[in-house]
Amino acid sequence: MKNITIIFLLSIFIKSVEAQNLIPNPSFEDKVQCPYQNDTLLCLAFDTSNTCVYWSSESTCFDSVLIGWSSYGDTPNYFNSCANVSRPECGVPNNIVGRQAAIDGDAYVGIGTVSFWPLSGPNAREYIGTPLLTPLTIGIRYYVSAYICRSVTHYPLAQNVGGANNNLGFRFSTVSFSQHDSVLINNFAHVNDTTIITDSIGWTRISGSFIADSAYEYVALGNFFDDAHTDTMDIFLGIGLQFNHAYYLIDQVCVSTDSLTCKLVTGNEEINKSRVNLYPNPVSGLLKAEVDDEKEVTLIIYDKQLKKVLQQSFFKSAYMNTENLEPGIYFYTLTGKEGMIKTGKLVMMEE
């Protein structure tokens, strides 16, 4: 019986690990320092000091402030509210690319995804990438998602820069993208969105799934299709220089074996008509959940890495003790036998 119990607990642990978000620092919140501005009016996300944890960058037209995340090409930009006073061009929500609140937390990254500016040359692209928390397992289906928002003002002398394009997506690799001898543009992505995304006010979720055919350890985001295979749209504002340069903000990136993990939203979203109350919010100590439903429901709380930290099933109402959770932002899902009831955000405070 003891061995059976150990095996059962181990299987739960493995399932929990598999279902987590494999993207470290998915909302670009963790950093070594605030982004700063140089003489080219760029808020550097990527230089040798590694400002934003886990991410790096690269481009086809290189420098990293995101730890782990990398910039694969040219100069992707890092925006964080910590720069609002010292470098407002790099702040959140106001910055050199306009005004946009983060969908989660206080930071996001921006990349150029297509450009027909004469100085850029053909197939000008910027990419960001990161090592995964664990390698993908061959034969397993993975779900991926990210939130993006089109920018309409990237350069001070070209305030009409607001082009749009399709094919924004994800590319996985078994080696770091910085070790690739060839450029990332070869008209292939493991997951890409074929629609031209034009929304510059709200965040658009791009998502999809694929079955891993290799033990991939890295992922990059951007447009991996050349100019001939990319559909674009000019959106002319009537001021400044005119050329088609598409630039998108990126936030809340997810890779997981669990489709639900990559469907979590940062705002409150009611999926059905059941009345739900979770209070107080912000909370310290006991959180009370009330549901106008006679059936059993399950409340799950996730941390910012989308790892499950608390779970409780109940009828009608229940109290959940949150005193062991660190202060910060958390997400929750409330589900019943018929599926999702509500998702949303919780703020944990010190007692």
Side-chain angles (χ1 to χ4, degrees):
M1 178 63 71
K2 182 177 180 181
N3 290 337
I4 294 176
T5 302
I6 293 175
I7 293 173
F8 174 72
L9 293 175
L10 182 60
S11 66
I12 293 177
F13 171 77
I14 293 173
K15 181 174 179 61
S16 174
V17 170
E18 288 180 344
Q20 70 174 322
N21 186 0
L22 298 181
I23 298 292
N25 198 13
S27 296
F28 311 102
E29 302 299 311
D30 299 332
K31 61 189 182 304
V32 173
Q33 64 183 33
C34 281
Y36 58 89
Q37 183 180 11
N38 68 359
D39 57 3
T40 59
L41 299 180
L42 295 173
C43 302
L44 297 183
F46 310 101
D47 70 1
T48 55
S49 63
N50 275 341
T51 295
C52 184
V53 183
Y54 295 116
W55 292 89
S56 53
S57 63
E58 186 172 310
S59 150
T60 58
C61 324
F62 181 101
D63 59 316
S64 172
V65 169
L66 290 159
I67 296 180
W69 279 106
S70 306
S71 65
Y72 300 115
D74 208 4
T75 49
N77 309 122
Y78 180 47
F79 304 99
N80 192 305
S81 63
C82 67
N84 285 349
V85 175
S86 60
R87 289 292 184 268
E89 301 86 349
C90 310
V92 171
N94 297 319
N95 48 55
I96 58 171
V97 299
R99 176 181 175 83
Q100 182 62 49
I103 192 171
D104 174 37
D106 301 297
Y108 45 73
V109 168
I111 62 172
T113 53
V114 70
S115 178
F116 295 109
W117 189 31
L119 297 182
S120 297
N123 302 320
R125 305 285 188 272
E126 293 175 337
Y127 304 94
I128 57 171
T130 183
L132 300 170
L133 291 176
T134 61
L136 303 191
T137 301
I138 297 174
I140 297 298
R141 180 174 295 277
Y142 288 87
Y143 299 86
V144 302
S145 67
Y147 286 88
I148 65 172
C149 179
R150 183 179 65 87
S151 170
V152 296
T153 56
H154 184 36
Y155 296 115
L157 297 179
Q159 296 184 17
N160 64 319
V161 171
N165 65 274
N166 67 345
N167 284 333
L168 299 179
F170 300 74
R171 169 87 71 82
F172 292 83
S173 174
T174 56
V175 297
S176 172
F177 287 98
S178 61
Q179 298 175 16
H180 282 276
D181 295 328
S182 59
V183 296
L184 297 177
I185 302 176
N186 67 351
N187 300 322
F188 171 78
H190 288 90
V191 173
N192 65 294
D193 195 307
T194 58
T195 60
I196 298 178
I197 297 174
T198 61
D199 192 350
S200 61
I201 299 176
W203 290 90
T204 299
R205 181 174 177 269
I206 61 173
S207 62
S209 67
F210 76 104
I211 297 176
D213 58 1
S214 297
Y216 296 117
E217 298 183 47
Y218 302 86
V219 64
L221 279 73
N223 174 18
F224 302 95
F225 293 76
D226 61 24
D227 292 343
H229 292 85
T230 298
D231 293 332
T232 62
M233 179 184 298
D234 284 309
I235 301 175
F236 180 54
L237 303 182
I239 52 178
L241 303 175
Q242 183 176 9
F243 58 88
N244 186 3
H245 180 94
Y247 184 88
Y248 289 89
L249 307 175
I250 302 175
D251 202 358
Q252 192 64 26
V253 185
C254 181
V255 175
S256 177
T257 57
D258 184 5
S259 61
L260 176 60
T261 297
C262 290
K263 286 183 179 178
L264 290 177
V265 295
T266 55
N268 291 331
E269 180 180 353
E270 294 198 22
I271 310 300
N272 65 19
K273 295 182 180 180
S274 298
R275 289 189 300 173
V276 177
N277 286 317
L278 266 71
Y279 62 92
N281 189 13
V283 60
S284 61
L286 291 180
L287 172 71
K288 186 173 185 180
E290 296 179 333
V291 183
D292 183 16
D293 198 320
E294 299 296 331
K295 300 178 181 179
E296 184 182 44
V297 296
T298 299
L299 175 64
I300 302 176
I301 297 178
Y302 304 84
D303 64 15
K304 290 182 67 173
Q305 302 295 329
L306 297 185
K307 291 188 288 187
K308 187 188 302 183
V309 294
L310 288 176
Q311 177 174 333
Q312 185 170 336
S313 297
F314 61 92
F315 293 90
K316 301 288 287 185
S317 67
Y319 286 96
M320 180 176 283
N321 190 351
T322 67
E323 63 182 8
N324 291 327
L325 298 182
E326 295 292 329
I329 303 297
Y330 292 78
F331 306 102
Y332 70 86
T333 62
L334 192 66
T335 59
K337 290 184 178 181
E338 298 179 354
M340 185 72 68
I341 297 174
K342 187 175 182 179
T343 67
K345 176 189 290 186
L346 290 171
V347 179
M348 302 294 171
M349 300 182 64
E350 293 184 357
E351 294 190 62

